[in-house]
Amino acid sequence: QVQLQESGPGLVKPSQTLSLTCTVSGDSISSGDYYWSWIRQPPGKGLEWIAYIYYSGSTYYNPSLKSRVSMSVDTSKNQFSLKLNSVTAADTALYYCARVVPGPMSGYWFDPWGQGTLVTVSP
Amino acid sequence: DIVMTQSPDSLAVSLGERATINCKSSQTVLYSSNNHNYLAWYQQKPGQPPKLLIYWASTRESGVPDRFSGSGSGTDFTLTISSLQAEDVAVYYCQQYYDTPYSFGQGTRLEIK
């Protein structure tokens, strides 16, 4: 079955760029059957959707983060990535990647999710 | 943006008893052209990622026990666990996918009484 695995630095300094990669196994991003997304969860708090991407490179970002975030896809490696610029302590969170069931106009629900990777923003 | 509000924030229920979690959206998530409610429920156990339980407000994901059910329409929704089992201890989230940005409720923590 499909599995997603996040990877990237666990510690990022304030004002720098957070970079994460999600590796997909058991499914092909280039099939075009799904969108691929990032969601984050600050420690002890709820879930915030960040963005999603299609295999073609089309993206949709949460407006609250749009000025600082970008996603990209590498179909040859079956990976997609997240970059978040100018991070602060408020960006400390567990970052999940997830597959998104597609609809005619946008994505729907998230299934499955990766295990998540904790990113701490600290000097 | 659509704001999702769950109630209660936490809930303690005895084993075998019914658990009910509510979710209210700040605007309708019912798409009139197809009569679908664009709402999903997730279960997050400690140390694990969220797991999809229900989509279209009431359709159980494959493999989800039938003691889990979803109901409601428009702006008011309910997740019901008909007979609580020990393995159901978790935080439950609702999510709307009617419009971007997708949004989640704040979560309801379910414990054993």
Side-chain angles (χ1 to χ4, degrees):
Chain A
Q1 76 277 19
V2 60
Q3 292 185 312
L4 295 87
Q5 180 66 58
E6 305 87 351
S7 59
L11 182 64
V12 181
K13 296 185 186 316
S15 81
Q16 294 191 344
T17 297
L18 177 160
S19 297
L20 297 174
T21 296
C22 182
T23 302
V24 179
S25 58
D27 193 2
S28 173
I29 291 176
S30 59
S31 72
D33 291 337
Y34 296 95
Y35 297 138
W36 305 89
S37 188
W38 289 97
I39 300 143
R40 70 181 182 179
Q41 184 173 35
K45 296 188 178 180
L47 299 159
E48 179 182 30
W49 171 69
I50 301 171
Y52 70 68
I53 193 167
Y54 195 44
Y55 82 102
S56 62
S58 298
T59 52
Y60 197 93
Y61 302 127
N62 189 325
S64 69
L65 297 168
K66 188 175 182 178
S67 63
R68 299 194 292 130
V69 69
S70 65
M71 280 189 71
S72 60
V73 62
D74 186 338
T75 55
S76 67
K77 295 181 179 179
N78 218 31
Q79 295 175 335
F80 60 100
S81 298
L82 172 74
K83 289 189 185 299
L84 182 64
N85 303 324
S86 305
V87 298
T88 70
D91 295 310
T92 293
L94 193 54
Y95 284 76
Y96 294 103
C97 57
R99 189 177 69 174
V100 188
V101 172
M105 301 283 286
S106 66
Y108 288 165
W109 53 88
F110 303 99
D111 178 56
W113 300 51
Q115 285 298 310
T117 187
L118 179 63
V119 179
T120 302
V121 178
S122 180
Chain B
D1 297 2
I2 299 176
V3 177
M4 308 299 290
T5 303
Q6 292 180 226
S7 61
D9 289 335
S10 63
L11 180 63
V13 175
S14 300
L15 289 172
E17 296 299 304
R18 178 184 301 262
T20 301
I21 298 169
N22 302 301
C23 174
K24 187 175 184 67
S25 57
S26 61
Q27 64 187 74
T28 187
V29 297
L30 173 63
Y31 195 39
S32 56
S33 65
N34 60 14
N35 203 37
H36 280 339
N37 286 284
Y38 283 48
L39 185 111
W41 287 98
Y42 300 86
Q43 175 192 64
Q44 186 176 31
K45 295 182 178 181
Q48 296 185 20
K51 172 191 171 185
L52 177 69
L53 293 177
I54 287 171
Y55 52 93
W56 297 131
S58 61
T59 302
R60 257 190 317 274
E61 170 72 335
S62 175
V64 173
D66 61 6
R67 64 180 181 274
F68 290 90
S69 63
S71 63
S73 186
T75 61
D76 292 279
F77 300 90
T78 299
L79 175 70
T80 301
I81 307 171
S82 60
S83 178
L84 189 70
Q85 305 299 303
E87 61 265 32
D88 300 336
V89 169
V91 178
Y92 292 85
Y93 294 94
C94 59
Q95 176 232 335
Q96 66 81 19
Y97 46 94
Y98 181 89
D99 194 14
T100 51
Y102 308 119
S103 49
F104 295 85
Q106 79 277 17
T108 294
R109 185 175 302 277
L110 178 58
E111 300 173 333
I112 305 295
K113 185 186 292 183

